[in-house]
Amino acid sequence: MTSAHSPSSAYGELRALFTRLSRFGHLSAIAGWDMQTMMPPGGSKARSEALAELSVLQHQILTAEKTGALLDRAQQEPLDELDRANLREMRRQYDNAAMVPESLVEAKSLAGARCEHAWRAQRPANDWDGFAENLREVVKLSRQEAQIRAQAAGTSRYDALLNLYEPGMRSSDLERIFGDLKTWLPDLLQRVVAKQAGEPCLTPQGPFNLDTQRQLSLSVMKLLGFNFDGGRVDVSAHPFCGGVPEDVRITTRYNDKEFLTALLGIVHETGHARYEQNLPRDLPGQPVALARSTAIHESQSLLFEMQLARGGDFLKILRPLAIAQFGEQPALEERNFIRLNQRVKPGLIRVDADEVSYPAHVMLRYEIEKALIEGDIEVEDIPALWNEKMQSYLGLDTIGNYRNGCMQDIHWTDGAFGYFPTYTLGAMYAAQLFHSVRQALPSLSEDIAAGNLQPLFHWLQHNIWRHGSRFPTDTLIANATGEALNPRYFREHLESRYL
């Protein structure tokens, strides 16, 4: 009898096939990282074509008739629980890919690369018209993809794309979650801003040398347990975490006028990186060893950045690292330093937003991208709608300021529609997880203040990191916290910290 793990079994053949796909994915990830960090501008066209070719090759392998037949055969083989979960994730990848024609995969890859590359120059130039021209093609192709997926899945077009990032989540779930958020967040934001108006806060005085900021970044990454044998940090136009679990690439951007934005960006991306670096390694290249979902990924980065790094306990150990690089100054006095990092001030830029106003940035983008994919609005409607929602949610004006308005994010340039909601879902998961950590580790505050982060990391490793995609998201969270997603913990966290 052939073992399910035998190379000649259907499941054994599938494991070999997905290992091969993961190796192509490795090359694609590193070439994509290079494109956003070190590649000279003249290399854009050739690199875009090479990446498109690679994406078509991966698509061909994944969607081949033989792959579908192997999946059907493997379903009948005797598999243990972990292999069965791996097979489930293989099937999900296959189904997601098989419904989209190869020509659309290539066209979308090329249009996205062209739009993203041009955006890097168009954003600083505030060139909305130039950007919109490229974005129209990306939106057109994304709508085509959404329509194909929606017909196959029997969902709305937007839900079909949302499912790629957050399996099982529907916009009806988001409407319920965000609908509740809207009932209390604006009032909380106003109350916090009013409370902090009576709490003076000094701003650190620069300039802050960029090399010195980089040294501070490295110190904080080391404190947070980043494995430098399996990753590195660089500079890009938009901070991100990329690469593969064995070689994680994170980026930030520095500003010599202030250092906290880059520093907290580093903490955020290190949260992503720690998750990647601690995913299960006993099934390399297999879908079950990948991150569970985008919101779970965001929960790890936001747990690091918001729950941990903006908390007073952690700021007490972060402050000496900042002083070691920039020297003593009144703004770095302990009480002021904590206030500085817990300051709530509605602003234009999402990645710089405090954790109270951040969900407003996400809801704005979700509402616009959903309307765009469903065909309710067109690309040319975005700036006015963006301004209207910024006024409504945050009381800010973006008329004519495309650079810091609707052109600030990289996500839409390559058609990542359905991604934005995962940031706030991630913040909610992070609050729920951190609540459970506190319950499980009564001495957590003392440990953090003493610079001992290992108990926290051990809990995350045991409950989230090591499981990869073994469990559906609701099961993963319920196993870790005792219940599926409950937004109550996010509200309690914000009220507790800021009021």
Side-chain angles (χ1 to χ4, degrees):
M1 180 176 165
T2 303
S3 160
H5 279 264
S6 164
S8 60
S9 70
Y11 181 68
E13 285 191 58
L14 284 168
R15 281 189 55 163
L17 184 147
F18 276 87
T19 297
R20 186 175 179 222
L21 281 170
S22 79
R23 288 168 181 161
F24 286 135
H26 183 152
L27 295 175
S28 181
I30 299 303
W33 162 84
D34 175 74
M35 194 173 188
Q36 294 190 49
T37 54
M38 297 186 175
M39 187 190 77
S44 177
K45 184 174 183 293
R47 180 65 56 83
S48 300
E49 290 168 350
L51 286 170
E53 188 78 35
L54 197 50
S55 68
V56 168
L57 177 61
Q58 290 170 276
H59 187 265
Q60 287 172 342
I61 295 169
L62 182 56
T63 61
E65 196 174 312
K66 182 185 177 185
T67 308
L70 287 171
L71 286 165
D72 291 339
R73 278 174 44 210
Q75 197 66 43
Q76 310 307 316
E77 294 177 341
L79 302 176
D80 63 21
E81 182 264 336
L82 183 58
D83 288 329
R84 189 69 57 191
N86 194 31
L87 184 61
R88 179 197 70 220
E89 293 302 303
M90 288 173 171
R91 170 68 73 175
R92 188 163 70 87
Q93 281 195 20
Y94 170 80
D95 288 343
N96 279 337
M99 62 182 75
V100 182
E102 188 181 299
S103 57
L104 182 55
V105 172
E106 183 175 27
K108 196 163 175 256
S109 178
L110 287 168
R114 185 165 55 246
C115 187
E116 188 273 328
H117 179 71
W119 166 82
R120 280 188 260 166
Q122 289 162 345
R123 186 191 171 202
N126 204 39
D127 178 11
W128 165 255
D129 290 338
F131 177 66
E133 191 174 332
N134 288 325
L135 185 62
R136 280 188 200 95
E137 181 66 14
V138 173
V139 169
K140 184 185 86 171
L141 296 170
S142 296
R143 284 174 174 170
Q144 288 177 20
E145 179 188 357
Q147 183 63 32
I148 292 167
R149 293 188 182 284
Q151 283 179 333
T155 66
S156 71
R157 292 202 296 199
Y158 186 77
D159 282 357
L161 297 185
L162 175 64
N163 188 60
L164 296 174
Y165 300 99
E166 207 50 33
M169 182 68 67
R170 297 288 180 92
S171 48
S172 56
D173 300 315
L174 295 177
E175 298 296 339
R176 173 178 50 80
I177 292 166
F178 290 164
D180 174 68
L181 203 53
K182 287 180 188 178
T183 65
W184 58 265
L185 187 68
D187 176 64
L188 176 68
L189 184 57
Q190 285 186 350
R191 287 163 65 199
V192 173
V193 169
K195 175 177 178 283
Q196 292 188 350
E199 300 170 349
C201 185
L202 299 173
T203 303
Q205 299 302 301
F208 300 97
N209 179 273
L210 303 190
D211 286 338
T212 307
Q213 287 194 58
R214 177 177 163 78
Q215 291 307 311
L216 177 58
S217 295
L218 295 172
S219 299
V220 173
M221 289 167 69
K222 184 177 179 183
L223 175 66
L224 293 171
F226 183 88
N227 175 11
F228 287 95
D229 285 338
R232 55 180 286 144
V233 59
D234 293 277
V235 173
S236 69
H238 192 97
F240 70 92
C241 175
V244 292
E246 300 83 0
D247 183 6
V248 179
R249 307 298 176 94
I250 73 172
T251 70
T252 190
R253 54 187 175 201
Y254 299 111
N255 176 355
D256 66 0
K257 295 180 178 60
E258 63 92 25
F259 70 91
L260 286 172
T261 301
L263 184 58
L264 287 165
I266 281 288
V267 174
H268 180 99
E269 301 306 339
T270 302
H272 280 305
R274 288 300 316 274
Y275 183 30
E276 285 288 321
Q277 290 182 333
N278 286 278
L279 287 168
R281 296 291 178 87
D282 48 348
L283 283 170
Q286 297 305 302
V288 76
L290 298 175
R292 173 63 219 147
S293 73
T294 313
I296 294 299
H297 226 309
E298 288 303 329
S299 78
Q300 300 310 290
S301 59
L302 292 169
L303 188 146
F304 272 52
E305 180 193 0
M306 302 300 188
Q307 299 292 323
L308 175 64
R310 290 187 194 264
D313 298 325
F314 186 83
L315 290 169
K316 287 173 184 172
I317 58 172
L318 184 60
R319 189 179 79 93
L321 298 179
I323 290 171
Q325 296 297 338
F326 303 122
E328 291 273 11
Q329 58 167 284
L332 299 184
E333 176 272 323
E334 185 175 284
R335 192 171 169 208
N336 190 81
F337 189 68
I338 292 173
R339 278 185 178 174
L340 192 63
N341 283 282
Q342 294 182 353
R343 208 68 179 166
V344 172
K345 184 181 179 186
L348 297 175
I349 305 298
R350 176 186 62 83
V351 296
D352 298 346
D354 60 83
E355 61 179 329
V356 182
S357 60
Y358 194 101
H361 288 270
V362 171
M363 289 190 290
L364 174 154
R365 288 156 173 78
Y366 158 65
E367 289 164 3
I368 291 176
E369 71 176 16
K370 184 185 174 199
L372 196 60
I373 292 301
E374 296 292 1
D376 299 331
I377 63 169
E378 297 301 330
V379 167
E380 46 269 25
D381 300 320
I382 293 174
L385 202 51
W386 189 286
N387 185 63
E388 178 189 313
K389 290 180 182 294
M390 282 297 280
Q391 291 274 15
S392 171
Y393 290 156
L394 295 170
L396 299 171
D397 186 289
T398 59
I399 292 177
N401 185 359
Y402 309 112
R403 177 177 64 247
N404 296 321
C406 54
M407 285 179 69
Q408 66 181 270
D409 297 297
I410 200 171
H411 306 63
W412 289 345
T413 64
D414 66 353
F417 298 102
Y419 190 114
F420 277 118
T422 64
Y423 285 116
T424 288
L425 293 173
M428 291 176 171
Y429 283 128
Q432 187 167 330
L433 289 167
F434 211 71
H435 173 82
S436 291
V437 178
R438 286 196 183 283
Q439 300 294 108
L441 305 174
S443 64
L444 183 67
S445 287
E446 292 80 4
D447 286 335
I448 293 171
N452 178 18
L453 304 180
Q454 288 312 307
L456 169 63
F457 298 153
H458 178 76
W459 190 94
L460 290 170
Q461 167 71 14
H462 181 76
N463 289 281
I464 302 294
W465 297 346
R466 72 188 176 104
H467 296 300
S469 283
R470 182 172 190 164
F471 305 113
T473 305
D474 282 353
T475 305
L476 178 71
I477 291 298
N479 288 347
T481 70
E483 58 184 313
L485 177 64
N486 186 343
R488 170 174 72 90
Y489 297 104
F490 183 57
R491 180 176 184 175
E492 288 176 356
H493 159 68
L494 294 181
E495 290 176 345
S496 168
R497 176 172 287 174
Y498 294 99
L499 293 178

